[in-house]
Amino acid sequence: MDRERHAWIQLSRIAADGVVVAALWVAVVLARRAMGGGELWPGLRPVSAAVHLPLLALMLPVWLGSLWSQGWYSGRRGLGQGRQLLLGVALASLVAQALLFALKLDLASRTVVYGFSAASLPALAAGRAAISAVTASLGRRWLAPHRVVLVGGAEDSAALVHALRQAPGWGLEVLGRMGDQDGAGACPWLGPAEGLGDLLLRVAVDEVIVAGPGVALGAVAARCEELGVRLTVSPWALGLRSSRPELREVFPHPLITFSRGSGSGAELAVKRAMDVVGALVLGALSLPLAAGIAVAVRVSDGGPALFRQERVGRGGRRFVMLKFRTMVQEAPALRSELERRNEVDGPAFKLTDDPRVTRIGRILRRTSADELPQLLNVLRGEMSLVGPRPPLPDEVERYQPWQLRRLSMRPGLTCIWQVSGRSDLSFERWMELDLAYIDQWSIGLDLWLLLRTLPAVIGGRGAR
C-alpha cells in the first residue's frame, strides 16, 4: 500500500475519533446536567459542567491511546475490528476510572463516565463508517491509484486480492498476477514470474507483492531493488500462515522476525508491569488470608503448608511452582495407582473426587485459594497473571509438535480455560483455548479475562 496514503488514512481516523470523543463527552455532560439532581431522579446528585467539561483533556488521550493499543487504527475489518473497538473502549473505561481515583477527582460523576463509555461504542463505530466512506470517495476522485502486481499461485493471490478489495480507501489497483498458470484466479494472469523484470520496464507499477510460496524470492527482490519498485512479501511466501513479521535492526543489519502472537515488545513490557503491580497488590491484600491458610494446612495433618512441583514455563524452561498443599503428603507416589481412572484425554491428569485430596484441600481448590503462593512465581518472572496453564514435564514429553507452541508465553494463574469451564474441559479443548489466547493476545484481552475470572472462581464452576 502507498505509505503516504496509509498515513493520511490513519491520521484521518484518529482525527475523526478525536472529534467523536470530544463531541460525545460534551453531549453526555450536558445531558447529565440537564437531568438535574434528586428532585427528578432520586439518588442522583447535580452535575457541574464547569467540573466535567475540562476532564475532556484526560478522556481524549485515554480513549485514543487505548484504541491505538488494541489495533483500532491498523485497518482490520469485520469481526476483528469490532473486537478491537470493544476491548479498546473497555480498557479506556478502566484506565479513566483508575486515573480519576488516583488523581482524587471525587467530584466526577460515575453516571457521566459510565454513560460516556457505553455511548462511545456506537458513536465510534458510526464515526469509523463515515470517515471510511469519505476517504474512499476522495481517494477515487482525487488520487491516482496505487498499482500492484502480485507474484505467486492463483489460490494464494485470490485470497490476497479479496482482502485488498475490502479496503477501497487504500486506492489499490491490482494489475494482475505473475506465476504459474495454475488457474483462472481472481485477477488477470500476466505471465510467468521470470518475466517480472520485463513487465516492470514496460508498465508503471508502484508495488510488487509476493503472495505465496514457490517463487524465486531472491531474484524478485533483486529486480525490484534495482528498478526502485517497492516490494512486499507475505509470510505465506515462506510457508508461514499465521506468523507476524517484525522489523528489527542489529546495526548495520536489518532483520525480519516472524512469530505467532505474543504482541510487540512494548505490549509485553506493559504486560510484565501489570504482572508485577498486580502480584504486589494482590499479595498484600491476601496476606492475612494466606497466613491463615498456611496455619490451617499445617495443623490439619502436620505436613508442610506449601507444595512445590516442577513445571514447564516459557520456552521449555523448568521452574518450581508453589501452591498450598491440598493433598496428602504421599500424593505423588499414589498417582500411578490412579492413572487408569484419569478422566481427561491426552497427557493431562484430572480426577473427580480424587481420594488424595484432603478435606481442607477441597475447600481451597473450590475457591482457587491454593494458588495464592503462585503470586511469588509471578514476581520472579516465571509466571504471569494471565497465560496458559503451566504443564508438568511428563505432559510436555507427550505433546505433539504443534502443541509445543503453548510454551511460547509465560504460564498464568488464569486464562480462557479458567472462564470456560476450568477442569470440565477436555485436553484438546484446553489446548485449543491456550493457543487461541496466544494468537489473539492483547492487553485488553488480559484485562477482560481477569474480570471474568472472579465470577468463575466464586461460582466454583469446573473446580476439582
Side-chain angles (χ1 to χ4, degrees), residues 183-196:
C187 58
W189 181 66
L190 303 178
E194 292 76 15
L196 177 64

Side-chain angles (χ1 to χ4, degrees), residues 210-395:
V210 180
V215 176
L217 188 56
V220 171
R223 197 60 169 156
C224 289
E225 185 177 51
E226 178 185 11
L227 299 176
V229 177
R230 187 180 182 196
L231 173 67
T232 298
V233 180
S234 167
W236 292 10
L238 303 176
L240 306 174
R241 290 288 170 174
S242 56
S243 294
R244 302 177 183 177
E246 180 182 359
L247 181 63
R248 299 188 298 169
E249 185 173 359
V250 181
F251 187 80
H253 305 287
L255 303 173
I256 301 177
T257 300
F258 293 92
S259 60
R260 294 187 67 170
S262 297
S264 66
E267 290 174 320
L268 292 175
V270 173
K271 178 178 175 65
R272 180 59 187 152
M274 287 172 52
D275 286 341
V276 173
V277 173
L280 288 173
V281 172
L282 291 175
L285 294 176
S286 62
L287 188 58
L289 174 62
I293 293 174
V295 172
V297 173
R298 179 74 176 178
V299 171
S300 64
D301 61 4
L306 289 179
F307 175 67
R308 296 172 172 84
Q309 188 176 51
E310 188 177 50
R311 296 290 181 116
V312 181
R314 185 175 62 174
R317 297 173 179 86
R318 298 193 178 191
F319 69 98
V320 177
M321 189 184 74
L322 303 175
K323 296 181 68 174
F324 283 122
R325 185 170 57 85
T326 59
M327 292 185 174
V328 296
Q329 298 181 54
E330 60 275 16
L334 297 175
R335 174 173 168 173
S336 59
E337 302 176 10
L338 301 171
E339 285 284 357
R340 56 186 174 80
R341 296 171 54 188
N342 187 13
E343 299 172 356
V344 181
D345 58 345
F349 178 84
K350 290 291 180 181
L351 182 62
T352 304
D353 297 326
D354 192 323
R356 300 173 299 168
V357 179
T358 63
R359 185 167 55 182
I360 190 173
R362 296 190 187 281
I363 299 174
L364 296 179
R365 288 189 168 201
R366 191 176 303 115
T367 59
S368 294
D370 59 319
E371 298 178 359
L372 285 176
Q374 290 172 32
L375 294 173
L376 293 174
N377 292 114
V378 174
L379 289 174
R380 294 196 302 221
E382 298 160 341
M383 294 182 64
S384 176
L385 292 178
V386 184
R389 182 187 68 88
L392 294 164
D394 64 319
E395 292 178 14

Side-chain angles (χ1 to χ4, degrees), residues 30 85 88 128 135 181 191 199 227 239 292 406 413 424 427 456:
L30 295 180
L85 176 59
R128 171 58 59 87
T135 54
Q181 194 174 8
L199 177 72
L227 299 176
R406 73 188 298 269
L413 300 179
D424 292 339
F427 176 77

Side-chain angles (χ1 to χ4, degrees), residues 29 65 85 89 98 111 119 157 168 175 182 218 238 341 344 414:
V29 169
L85 176 59
V89 170
T111 55
S157 297
L175 300 180
D182 51 2
L238 303 176
R341 296 171 54 188
V344 181
T414 186

Side-chain angles (χ1 to χ4, degrees), residues 103-127:
L103 297 175
K104 301 186 183 305
L105 299 175
D106 300 330
L107 294 178
S109 169
R110 292 183 179 180
T111 55
V112 171
V113 177
Y114 294 155
F116 172 74
S117 299
S120 64
L121 281 169
L124 288 168

